[in-house]
Amino acid sequence: IFFRKAGKLLLTELMELPVRSLATTALPKLSKASMQNDLVTVRKIFIEYIILTTLLILPIVASCILFAKYLVIWIGGEEYQSSILILQVFAIYGLFLPLDKLLGVTLDCLNFPKFNMIKVILMVIVNVIGDLIVIFVFKSVWLVAGVTTLTMITGIIVGGIYLHKIV
């Protein structure tokens, strides 16, 4: 719903692109530190990239929250005004993207892909059950965006617990 009719631009993609790019950049550094068993450096790189990535997407997130109405009308048109709240909720979701992505990458680099897989499986369970509840019980489309944010928070909590035990 957040795209030009020709499918050129997804607003949520504006948040995901820098996160994916920086996570890809962090991967070799995290792997090298992990292979040297330098957990202090792993932690330092992890924190640096979370801060950097969050600062990069913060203007996008703030713009999507503050100017949601104008963005939706500009990109989708007047008929999509009902999706303004959805964009704002997804913008909040965007704030959590760097932490979730880097938790997964760091767990993989530390040779604990099993923990990352458990994190992802729990996120899928929360997302599917949450979506079913909000669609069939509450009959609310915008709550689906809220469930997506809750899913991300679940991944951060689970990934954070695993990473805290390791590092």
Side-chain angles (χ1 to χ4, degrees), residues 66-131:
L66 297 172
F67 306 113
K69 178 180 178 180
Y70 306 106
L71 290 169
V72 167
I73 291 170
W74 176 61
I75 293 171
E78 295 282 336
E79 64 270 18
Y80 287 98
Q81 283 192 50
S82 61
S83 62
I84 292 169
L85 182 59
I86 296 169
L87 174 59
Q88 291 171 323
V89 173
F90 270 120
I92 294 167
Y93 151 86
L95 281 176
F96 298 109
L97 275 172
L99 187 53
D100 179 59
K101 185 65 142 180
L102 285 162
L103 279 166
V105 167
T106 304
L107 286 170
D108 287 346
C109 287
L110 288 168
N111 205 23
F112 289 98
K114 174 183 163 184
F115 294 151
N116 191 29
M117 184 184 73
I118 292 169
K119 173 184 88 85
V120 171
I121 289 171
L122 287 172
M123 288 173 72
V124 169
I125 291 168
V126 167
N127 196 33
V128 170
I129 292 172
D131 284 348

Short mmCIF file of all heavy atoms in Angstrom, two decimals, residues 66-131:
data_model
loop_
_atom_site.label_atom_id
_atom_site.label_comp_id
_atom_site.label_asym_id
_atom_site.label_seq_id
_atom_site.Cartn_x
_atom_site.Cartn_y
_atom_site.Cartn_z
N LEU A 66 5.80 11.85 11.21
CA LEU A 66 5.32 13.23 11.20
C LEU A 66 4.58 13.61 9.92
O LEU A 66 3.62 14.39 9.95
CB LEU A 66 6.48 14.20 11.42
CG LEU A 66 7.19 14.09 12.76
CD1 LEU A 66 8.44 14.97 12.78
CD2 LEU A 66 6.26 14.46 13.90
N PHE A 67 5.02 13.08 8.79
CA PHE A 67 4.45 13.47 7.51
C PHE A 67 3.71 12.32 6.83
O PHE A 67 3.62 12.30 5.59
CB PHE A 67 5.55 14.02 6.60
CG PHE A 67 6.33 15.14 7.22
CD1 PHE A 67 7.66 14.97 7.55
CD2 PHE A 67 5.73 16.36 7.50
CE1 PHE A 67 8.40 15.99 8.14
CE2 PHE A 67 6.44 17.39 8.10
CZ PHE A 67 7.79 17.21 8.41
N ALA A 68 3.21 11.39 7.61
CA ALA A 68 2.56 10.20 7.06
C ALA A 68 1.43 10.56 6.09
O ALA A 68 1.33 9.97 5.01
CB ALA A 68 2.03 9.32 8.19
N LYS A 69 0.62 11.52 6.47
CA LYS A 69 -0.51 11.88 5.61
C LYS A 69 -0.03 12.32 4.24
O LYS A 69 -0.54 11.87 3.21
CB LYS A 69 -1.33 13.00 6.27
CG LYS A 69 -2.50 13.46 5.43
CD LYS A 69 -3.26 14.57 6.12
CE LYS A 69 -4.41 15.04 5.22
NZ LYS A 69 -5.17 16.11 5.84
N TYR A 70 0.94 13.21 4.21
CA TYR A 70 1.44 13.74 2.94
C TYR A 70 2.14 12.66 2.11
O TYR A 70 2.01 12.61 0.90
CB TYR A 70 2.38 14.92 3.20
CG TYR A 70 1.72 15.98 4.05
CD1 TYR A 70 2.09 16.14 5.38
CD2 TYR A 70 0.70 16.78 3.54
CE1 TYR A 70 1.47 17.10 6.17
CE2 TYR A 70 0.08 17.74 4.33
CZ TYR A 70 0.47 17.89 5.64
OH TYR A 70 -0.14 18.82 6.44
N LEU A 71 2.91 11.79 2.79
CA LEU A 71 3.60 10.72 2.08
C LEU A 71 2.63 9.74 1.45
O LEU A 71 2.80 9.33 0.30
CB LEU A 71 4.56 9.99 3.03
CG LEU A 71 5.78 10.77 3.49
CD1 LEU A 71 6.48 10.05 4.63
CD2 LEU A 71 6.73 10.99 2.33
N VAL A 72 1.60 9.37 2.20
CA VAL A 72 0.63 8.42 1.69
C VAL A 72 -0.12 9.01 0.50
O VAL A 72 -0.29 8.35 -0.53
CB VAL A 72 -0.37 7.98 2.81
CG1 VAL A 72 -1.56 7.24 2.22
CG2 VAL A 72 0.36 7.11 3.82
N ILE A 73 -0.54 10.25 0.61
CA ILE A 73 -1.26 10.90 -0.49
C ILE A 73 -0.34 11.06 -1.71
O ILE A 73 -0.74 10.78 -2.84
CB ILE A 73 -1.86 12.25 -0.05
CG1 ILE A 73 -2.99 12.00 0.95
CG2 ILE A 73 -2.37 13.05 -1.25
CD1 ILE A 73 -3.50 13.25 1.64
N TRP A 74 0.89 11.47 -1.48
CA TRP A 74 1.84 11.68 -2.57
C TRP A 74 2.17 10.37 -3.29
O TRP A 74 2.21 10.31 -4.51
CB TRP A 74 3.11 12.33 -2.03
CG TRP A 74 4.20 12.49 -3.05
CD1 TRP A 74 4.15 13.23 -4.19
CD2 TRP A 74 5.49 11.89 -3.01
NE1 TRP A 74 5.33 13.14 -4.87
CE2 TRP A 74 6.19 12.32 -4.16
CE3 TRP A 74 6.13 11.05 -2.11
CZ2 TRP A 74 7.48 11.91 -4.44
CZ3 TRP A 74 7.43 10.67 -2.39
CH2 TRP A 74 8.08 11.10 -3.54
N ILE A 75 2.40 9.31 -2.51
CA ILE A 75 2.82 8.05 -3.11
C ILE A 75 1.64 7.20 -3.57
O ILE A 75 1.66 6.65 -4.67
CB ILE A 75 3.72 7.27 -2.14
CG1 ILE A 75 5.03 8.02 -1.96
CG2 ILE A 75 4.00 5.86 -2.65
CD1 ILE A 75 5.91 7.49 -0.87
N GLY A 76 0.61 7.11 -2.74
CA GLY A 76 -0.50 6.23 -3.08
C GLY A 76 -1.71 6.93 -3.65
O GLY A 76 -2.46 6.36 -4.43
N GLY A 77 -1.90 8.17 -3.23
CA GLY A 77 -3.08 8.90 -3.69
C GLY A 77 -4.11 9.04 -2.57
O GLY A 77 -4.00 8.43 -1.51
N GLU A 78 -5.10 9.86 -2.83
CA GLU A 78 -6.16 10.16 -1.85
C GLU A 78 -6.86 8.89 -1.34
O GLU A 78 -7.25 8.83 -0.18
CB GLU A 78 -7.19 11.11 -2.46
CG GLU A 78 -6.67 12.48 -2.79
CD GLU A 78 -6.55 13.37 -1.57
OE1 GLU A 78 -7.24 13.14 -0.56
OE2 GLU A 78 -5.73 14.31 -1.63
N GLU A 79 -7.02 7.91 -2.22
CA GLU A 79 -7.77 6.71 -1.84
C GLU A 79 -7.06 5.85 -0.78
O GLU A 79 -7.64 4.92 -0.24
CB GLU A 79 -8.11 5.86 -3.07
CG GLU A 79 -6.91 5.30 -3.81
CD GLU A 79 -6.37 6.21 -4.91
OE1 GLU A 79 -6.66 7.41 -4.94
OE2 GLU A 79 -5.60 5.70 -5.73
N TYR A 80 -5.81 6.17 -0.48
CA TYR A 80 -5.05 5.39 0.51
C TYR A 80 -4.92 6.10 1.86
O TYR A 80 -4.12 5.68 2.69
CB TYR A 80 -3.65 5.05 -0.03
CG TYR A 80 -3.68 3.99 -1.09
CD1 TYR A 80 -3.64 4.33 -2.43
CD2 TYR A 80 -3.77 2.65 -0.75
CE1 TYR A 80 -3.67 3.36 -3.42
CE2 TYR A 80 -3.80 1.67 -1.72
CZ TYR A 80 -3.76 2.03 -3.06
OH TYR A 80 -3.79 1.06 -4.02
N GLN A 81 -5.70 7.12 2.10
CA GLN A 81 -5.59 7.87 3.36
C GLN A 81 -5.85 6.99 4.59
O GLN A 81 -5.33 7.28 5.66
CB GLN A 81 -6.54 9.06 3.36
CG GLN A 81 -6.02 10.21 2.52
CD GLN A 81 -6.81 11.47 2.77
OE1 GLN A 81 -7.00 11.85 3.92
NE2 GLN A 81 -7.24 12.11 1.70
N SER A 82 -6.61 5.93 4.42
CA SER A 82 -6.88 5.05 5.56
C SER A 82 -5.63 4.31 6.03
O SER A 82 -5.63 3.71 7.10
CB SER A 82 -7.97 4.04 5.19
OG SER A 82 -7.54 3.23 4.11
N SER A 83 -4.55 4.35 5.24
CA SER A 83 -3.33 3.64 5.62
C SER A 83 -2.31 4.53 6.33
O SER A 83 -1.19 4.09 6.59
CB SER A 83 -2.70 3.00 4.37
OG SER A 83 -2.33 3.99 3.45
N ILE A 84 -2.69 5.74 6.68
CA ILE A 84 -1.77 6.65 7.37
C ILE A 84 -1.29 6.07 8.69
O ILE A 84 -0.09 6.05 8.97
CB ILE A 84 -2.42 8.04 7.56
CG1 ILE A 84 -2.60 8.71 6.20
CG2 ILE A 84 -1.60 8.92 8.50
CD1 ILE A 84 -3.47 9.96 6.22
N LEU A 85 -2.21 5.57 9.50
CA LEU A 85 -1.84 4.98 10.79
C LEU A 85 -0.95 3.76 10.60
O LEU A 85 -0.01 3.53 11.37
CB LEU A 85 -3.08 4.63 11.60
CG LEU A 85 -2.85 4.06 12.98
CD1 LEU A 85 -2.06 5.04 13.85
CD2 LEU A 85 -4.17 3.72 13.66
N ILE A 86 -1.22 2.99 9.56
CA ILE A 86 -0.41 1.80 9.29
C ILE A 86 1.04 2.21 9.01
O ILE A 86 1.99 1.61 9.52
CB ILE A 86 -0.99 1.00 8.11
CG1 ILE A 86 -2.38 0.46 8.48
CG2 ILE A 86 -0.07 -0.15 7.71
CD1 ILE A 86 -3.15 -0.13 7.33
N LEU A 87 1.22 3.26 8.22
CA LEU A 87 2.57 3.76 7.94
C LEU A 87 3.26 4.21 9.23
O LEU A 87 4.43 3.90 9.44
CB LEU A 87 2.53 4.92 6.94
CG LEU A 87 3.87 5.61 6.68
CD1 LEU A 87 4.91 4.63 6.14
CD2 LEU A 87 3.68 6.78 5.73
N GLN A 88 2.54 4.88 10.09
CA GLN A 88 3.13 5.35 11.34
C GLN A 88 3.55 4.18 12.23
O GLN A 88 4.62 4.21 12.84
CB GLN A 88 2.17 6.28 12.06
CG GLN A 88 1.99 7.59 11.32
CD GLN A 88 0.88 8.45 11.89
OE1 GLN A 88 -0.16 7.96 12.31
NE2 GLN A 88 1.10 9.76 11.88
N VAL A 89 2.73 3.14 12.28
CA VAL A 89 3.07 1.97 13.09
C VAL A 89 4.28 1.26 12.48
O VAL A 89 5.19 0.84 13.19
CB VAL A 89 1.87 1.02 13.23
CG1 VAL A 89 2.27 -0.28 13.93
CG2 VAL A 89 0.74 1.70 14.00
N PHE A 90 4.30 1.15 11.14
CA PHE A 90 5.46 0.53 10.50
C PHE A 90 6.73 1.36 10.68
O PHE A 90 7.84 0.82 10.69
CB PHE A 90 5.20 0.28 9.01
CG PHE A 90 4.60 -1.06 8.73
CD1 PHE A 90 3.37 -1.17 8.11
CD2 PHE A 90 5.26 -2.23 9.09
CE1 PHE A 90 2.81 -2.41 7.86
CE2 PHE A 90 4.72 -3.47 8.84
CZ PHE A 90 3.48 -3.56 8.22
N ALA A 91 6.59 2.66 10.82
CA ALA A 91 7.75 3.50 11.08
C ALA A 91 8.34 3.17 12.45
O ALA A 91 9.56 3.11 12.61
CB ALA A 91 7.37 4.98 11.00
N ILE A 92 7.48 2.93 13.41
CA ILE A 92 7.96 2.51 14.75
C ILE A 92 8.67 1.16 14.64
O ILE A 92 9.73 0.95 15.24
CB ILE A 92 6.79 2.47 15.75
CG1 ILE A 92 6.27 3.89 15.97
CG2 ILE A 92 7.22 1.84 17.08
CD1 ILE A 92 4.94 3.98 16.68
N TYR A 93 8.09 0.28 13.86
CA TYR A 93 8.73 -1.02 13.57
C TYR A 93 10.14 -0.79 13.02
O TYR A 93 11.09 -1.48 13.38
CB TYR A 93 7.84 -1.79 12.59
CG TYR A 93 8.53 -2.74 11.67
CD1 TYR A 93 8.80 -4.05 12.05
CD2 TYR A 93 8.90 -2.37 10.38
CE1 TYR A 93 9.41 -4.95 11.19
CE2 TYR A 93 9.51 -3.25 9.52
CZ TYR A 93 9.76 -4.53 9.92
OH TYR A 93 10.37 -5.41 9.07
N GLY A 94 10.27 0.22 12.16
CA GLY A 94 11.56 0.53 11.55
C GLY A 94 12.64 0.88 12.56
O GLY A 94 13.83 0.63 12.33
N LEU A 95 12.24 1.45 13.69
CA LEU A 95 13.22 1.77 14.74
C LEU A 95 13.90 0.52 15.29
O LEU A 95 15.03 0.56 15.74
CB LEU A 95 12.55 2.51 15.88
CG LEU A 95 12.29 3.99 15.69
CD1 LEU A 95 11.53 4.55 16.88
CD2 LEU A 95 13.60 4.75 15.50
N PHE A 96 13.17 -0.59 15.26
CA PHE A 96 13.70 -1.83 15.82
C PHE A 96 14.49 -2.66 14.81
O PHE A 96 15.14 -3.63 15.18
CB PHE A 96 12.56 -2.68 16.40
CG PHE A 96 11.84 -2.02 17.53
CD1 PHE A 96 10.55 -1.54 17.37
CD2 PHE A 96 12.45 -1.87 18.76
CE1 PHE A 96 9.88 -0.93 18.41
CE2 PHE A 96 11.78 -1.26 19.81
CZ PHE A 96 10.50 -0.79 19.63
N LEU A 97 14.41 -2.31 13.53
CA LEU A 97 15.09 -3.07 12.49
C LEU A 97 16.60 -3.24 12.73
O LEU A 97 17.10 -4.36 12.61
CB LEU A 97 14.87 -2.41 11.13
CG LEU A 97 13.60 -2.77 10.39
CD1 LEU A 97 13.44 -1.89 9.16
CD2 LEU A 97 13.58 -4.22 10.01
N PRO A 98 17.33 -2.16 13.04
CA PRO A 98 18.78 -2.35 13.21
C PRO A 98 19.14 -3.36 14.30
O PRO A 98 20.00 -4.22 14.09
CB PRO A 98 19.28 -0.95 13.60
CG PRO A 98 18.26 -0.02 13.08
CD PRO A 98 16.96 -0.75 13.17
N LEU A 99 18.46 -3.28 15.41
CA LEU A 99 18.77 -4.18 16.51
C LEU A 99 18.45 -5.63 16.15
O LEU A 99 19.27 -6.53 16.36
CB LEU A 99 18.01 -3.75 17.78
CG LEU A 99 18.35 -4.47 19.07
CD1 LEU A 99 19.85 -4.47 19.33
CD2 LEU A 99 17.61 -3.85 20.23
N ASP A 100 17.29 -5.86 15.56
CA ASP A 100 16.92 -7.23 15.19
C ASP A 100 17.88 -7.80 14.16
O ASP A 100 18.35 -8.92 14.30
CB ASP A 100 15.48 -7.26 14.67
CG ASP A 100 15.07 -8.65 14.24
OD1 ASP A 100 15.10 -9.57 15.10
OD2 ASP A 100 14.75 -8.84 13.06
N LYS A 101 18.16 -7.03 13.13
CA LYS A 101 19.03 -7.51 12.05
C LYS A 101 20.44 -7.81 12.57
O LYS A 101 21.01 -8.85 12.27
CB LYS A 101 19.09 -6.45 10.94
CG LYS A 101 19.86 -6.88 9.74
CD LYS A 101 19.20 -8.03 9.06
CE LYS A 101 19.30 -7.91 7.56
NZ LYS A 101 18.66 -9.03 6.91
N LEU A 102 20.98 -6.90 13.35
CA LEU A 102 22.34 -7.10 13.86
C LEU A 102 22.42 -8.18 14.92
O LEU A 102 23.47 -8.84 15.05
CB LEU A 102 22.92 -5.78 14.36
CG LEU A 102 23.33 -4.85 13.20
CD1 LEU A 102 23.49 -3.42 13.67
CD2 LEU A 102 24.60 -5.35 12.55
N LEU A 103 21.36 -8.41 15.66
CA LEU A 103 21.34 -9.55 16.58
C LEU A 103 21.48 -10.85 15.80
O LEU A 103 22.27 -11.72 16.16
CB LEU A 103 20.05 -9.56 17.42
CG LEU A 103 20.02 -8.65 18.63
CD1 LEU A 103 18.60 -8.51 19.15
CD2 LEU A 103 20.94 -9.17 19.72
N GLY A 104 20.70 -10.97 14.74
CA GLY A 104 20.77 -12.18 13.92
C GLY A 104 22.13 -12.38 13.28
O GLY A 104 22.70 -13.48 13.33
N VAL A 105 22.67 -11.33 12.70
CA VAL A 105 23.98 -11.40 12.05
C VAL A 105 25.06 -11.75 13.07
O VAL A 105 25.93 -12.59 12.81
CB VAL A 105 24.30 -10.07 11.33
CG1 VAL A 105 25.75 -10.00 10.92
CG2 VAL A 105 23.40 -9.88 10.12
N THR A 106 24.99 -11.14 14.23
CA THR A 106 26.01 -11.38 15.27
C THR A 106 25.92 -12.81 15.80
O THR A 106 26.96 -13.46 15.98
CB THR A 106 25.87 -10.35 16.42
OG1 THR A 106 25.95 -9.04 15.86
CG2 THR A 106 26.97 -10.53 17.44
N LEU A 107 24.72 -13.30 16.02
CA LEU A 107 24.58 -14.70 16.46
C LEU A 107 25.16 -15.65 15.42
O LEU A 107 25.85 -16.62 15.77
CB LEU A 107 23.11 -15.03 16.74
CG LEU A 107 22.52 -14.42 18.02
CD1 LEU A 107 21.01 -14.60 18.05
CD2 LEU A 107 23.17 -15.02 19.26
N ASP A 108 24.89 -15.38 14.15
CA ASP A 108 25.45 -16.22 13.09
C ASP A 108 26.97 -16.14 13.06
O ASP A 108 27.65 -17.16 12.93
CB ASP A 108 24.88 -15.80 11.73
CG ASP A 108 23.43 -16.22 11.54
OD1 ASP A 108 22.93 -17.06 12.32
OD2 ASP A 108 22.79 -15.70 10.60
N CYS A 109 27.51 -14.93 13.19
CA CYS A 109 28.97 -14.76 13.16
C CYS A 109 29.66 -15.42 14.35
O CYS A 109 30.80 -15.86 14.24
CB CYS A 109 29.32 -13.27 13.13
SG CYS A 109 28.99 -12.50 11.54
N LEU A 110 28.98 -15.49 15.46
CA LEU A 110 29.54 -16.13 16.65
C LEU A 110 29.37 -17.66 16.60
O LEU A 110 29.67 -18.35 17.55
CB LEU A 110 28.87 -15.58 17.92
CG LEU A 110 29.26 -14.15 18.28
CD1 LEU A 110 28.33 -13.59 19.35
CD2 LEU A 110 30.72 -14.09 18.73
N ASN A 111 28.90 -18.13 15.45
CA ASN A 111 28.69 -19.56 15.23
C ASN A 111 27.56 -20.15 16.08
O ASN A 111 27.65 -21.25 16.59
CB ASN A 111 30.00 -20.35 15.41
CG ASN A 111 29.99 -21.65 14.63
OD1 ASN A 111 29.25 -21.78 13.66
ND2 ASN A 111 30.79 -22.60 15.07
N PHE A 112 26.51 -19.34 16.25
CA PHE A 112 25.31 -19.79 16.94
C PHE A 112 24.08 -19.58 16.06
O PHE A 112 23.10 -18.95 16.48
CB PHE A 112 25.14 -19.04 18.26
CG PHE A 112 26.13 -19.43 19.31
CD1 PHE A 112 27.27 -18.67 19.52
CD2 PHE A 112 25.95 -20.59 20.07
CE1 PHE A 112 28.20 -19.04 20.48
CE2 PHE A 112 26.88 -20.96 21.03
CZ PHE A 112 28.02 -20.19 21.23
N PRO A 113 24.11 -20.12 14.83
CA PRO A 113 22.94 -19.95 13.97
C PRO A 113 21.69 -20.63 14.52
O PRO A 113 20.57 -20.24 14.20
CB PRO A 113 23.38 -20.57 12.64
CG PRO A 113 24.45 -21.54 13.00
CD PRO A 113 25.14 -20.94 14.21
N LYS A 114 21.91 -21.62 15.38
CA LYS A 114 20.77 -22.31 16.01
C LYS A 114 19.94 -21.30 16.83
O LYS A 114 18.71 -21.31 16.77
CB LYS A 114 21.29 -23.43 16.91
CG LYS A 114 20.24 -24.12 17.73
CD LYS A 114 20.88 -25.17 18.63
CE LYS A 114 19.94 -25.58 19.72
NZ LYS A 114 20.56 -26.52 20.65
N PHE A 115 20.61 -20.43 17.57
CA PHE A 115 19.90 -19.44 18.37
C PHE A 115 19.17 -18.42 17.49
O PHE A 115 18.07 -17.99 17.80
CB PHE A 115 20.85 -18.71 19.32
CG PHE A 115 21.45 -19.60 20.39
CD1 PHE A 115 22.68 -19.32 20.91
CD2 PHE A 115 20.77 -20.72 20.86
CE1 PHE A 115 23.23 -20.12 21.91
CE2 PHE A 115 21.31 -21.52 21.84
CZ PHE A 115 22.55 -21.23 22.37
N ASN A 116 19.80 -18.05 16.39
CA ASN A 116 19.15 -17.14 15.45
C ASN A 116 17.92 -17.81 14.84
O ASN A 116 16.88 -17.18 14.66
CB ASN A 116 20.12 -16.69 14.36
CG ASN A 116 19.57 -15.56 13.53
OD1 ASN A 116 18.77 -14.75 14.00
ND2 ASN A 116 19.99 -15.49 12.29
N MET A 117 18.04 -19.10 14.53
CA MET A 117 16.90 -19.83 13.97
C MET A 117 15.75 -19.91 14.99
O MET A 117 14.59 -19.72 14.63
CB MET A 117 17.31 -21.23 13.54
CG MET A 117 16.19 -21.99 12.86
SD MET A 117 16.61 -23.68 12.45
CE MET A 117 16.58 -24.44 14.06
N ILE A 118 16.08 -20.15 16.24
CA ILE A 118 15.05 -20.20 17.28
C ILE A 118 14.36 -18.84 17.38
O ILE A 118 13.13 -18.74 17.47
CB ILE A 118 15.65 -20.63 18.64
CG1 ILE A 118 16.11 -22.08 18.58
CG2 ILE A 118 14.65 -20.40 19.78
CD1 ILE A 118 16.95 -22.52 19.75
N LYS A 119 15.16 -17.78 17.33
CA LYS A 119 14.62 -16.41 17.36
C LYS A 119 13.64 -16.20 16.21
O LYS A 119 12.52 -15.72 16.40
CB LYS A 119 15.77 -15.40 17.28
CG LYS A 119 15.35 -13.95 17.15
CD LYS A 119 16.55 -13.03 16.99
CE LYS A 119 16.98 -12.85 15.59
NZ LYS A 119 16.34 -11.86 14.79
N VAL A 120 14.04 -16.60 15.01
CA VAL A 120 13.20 -16.40 13.83
C VAL A 120 11.93 -17.25 13.91
O VAL A 120 10.84 -16.79 13.58
CB VAL A 120 14.00 -16.69 12.54
CG1 VAL A 120 13.09 -16.71 11.32
CG2 VAL A 120 15.11 -15.66 12.37
N ILE A 121 12.05 -18.48 14.37
CA ILE A 121 10.87 -19.35 14.50
C ILE A 121 9.87 -18.75 15.50
O ILE A 121 8.67 -18.71 15.24
CB ILE A 121 11.28 -20.78 14.91
CG1 ILE A 121 11.98 -21.47 13.73
CG2 ILE A 121 10.08 -21.59 15.38
CD1 ILE A 121 12.63 -22.79 14.08
N LEU A 122 10.37 -18.25 16.62
CA LEU A 122 9.47 -17.61 17.60
C LEU A 122 8.81 -16.36 17.01
O LEU A 122 7.63 -16.10 17.25
CB LEU A 122 10.24 -17.26 18.88
CG LEU A 122 10.59 -18.46 19.76
CD1 LEU A 122 11.51 -18.03 20.90
CD2 LEU A 122 9.35 -19.13 20.30
N MET A 123 9.56 -15.62 16.20
CA MET A 123 9.00 -14.44 15.56
C MET A 123 7.88 -14.84 14.59
O MET A 123 6.83 -14.18 14.53
CB MET A 123 10.09 -13.66 14.81
CG MET A 123 11.06 -12.94 15.73
SD MET A 123 12.46 -12.20 14.86
CE MET A 123 11.64 -10.82 14.05
N VAL A 124 8.08 -15.92 13.85
CA VAL A 124 7.05 -16.40 12.92
C VAL A 124 5.80 -16.82 13.68
O VAL A 124 4.67 -16.49 13.29
CB VAL A 124 7.58 -17.55 12.03
CG1 VAL A 124 6.46 -18.23 11.26
CG2 VAL A 124 8.65 -17.06 11.08
N ILE A 125 5.99 -17.52 14.78
CA ILE A 125 4.85 -17.96 15.59
C ILE A 125 4.07 -16.76 16.12
O ILE A 125 2.84 -16.72 16.01
CB ILE A 125 5.33 -18.88 16.75
CG1 ILE A 125 5.84 -20.21 16.19
CG2 ILE A 125 4.21 -19.11 17.77
CD1 ILE A 125 6.58 -21.07 17.19
N VAL A 126 4.77 -15.79 16.69
CA VAL A 126 4.12 -14.58 17.20
C VAL A 126 3.38 -13.86 16.08
O VAL A 126 2.24 -13.43 16.24
CB VAL A 126 5.13 -13.64 17.89
CG1 VAL A 126 4.54 -12.26 18.15
CG2 VAL A 126 5.63 -14.26 19.18
N ASN A 127 4.02 -13.76 14.92
CA ASN A 127 3.41 -13.04 13.80
C ASN A 127 2.15 -13.74 13.29
O ASN A 127 1.12 -13.10 13.10
CB ASN A 127 4.43 -12.89 12.66
CG ASN A 127 4.01 -11.84 11.66
OD1 ASN A 127 3.38 -10.85 12.01
ND2 ASN A 127 4.36 -12.06 10.42
N VAL A 128 2.22 -15.04 13.08
CA VAL A 128 1.07 -15.78 12.55
C VAL A 128 -0.09 -15.77 13.54
O VAL A 128 -1.23 -15.44 13.18
CB VAL A 128 1.46 -17.23 12.17
CG1 VAL A 128 0.24 -18.08 11.86
CG2 VAL A 128 2.43 -17.22 10.99
N ILE A 129 0.18 -16.10 14.79
CA ILE A 129 -0.88 -16.12 15.80
C ILE A 129 -1.44 -14.72 16.01
O ILE A 129 -2.67 -14.53 16.06
CB ILE A 129 -0.37 -16.74 17.13
CG1 ILE A 129 -0.08 -18.23 16.93
CG2 ILE A 129 -1.39 -16.52 18.25
CD1 ILE A 129 0.61 -18.90 18.11
N GLY A 130 -0.57 -13.74 16.12
CA GLY A 130 -1.02 -12.36 16.30
C GLY A 130 -1.86 -11.88 15.14
O GLY A 130 -2.92 -11.25 15.34
N ASP A 131 -1.43 -12.15 13.91
CA ASP A 131 -2.20 -11.74 12.74
C ASP A 131 -3.57 -12.41 12.71
O ASP A 131 -4.58 -11.76 12.40
CB ASP A 131 -1.44 -12.05 11.44
CG ASP A 131 -0.32 -11.08 11.16
OD1 ASP A 131 -0.25 -10.03 11.84
OD2 ASP A 131 0.50 -11.36 10.26
#
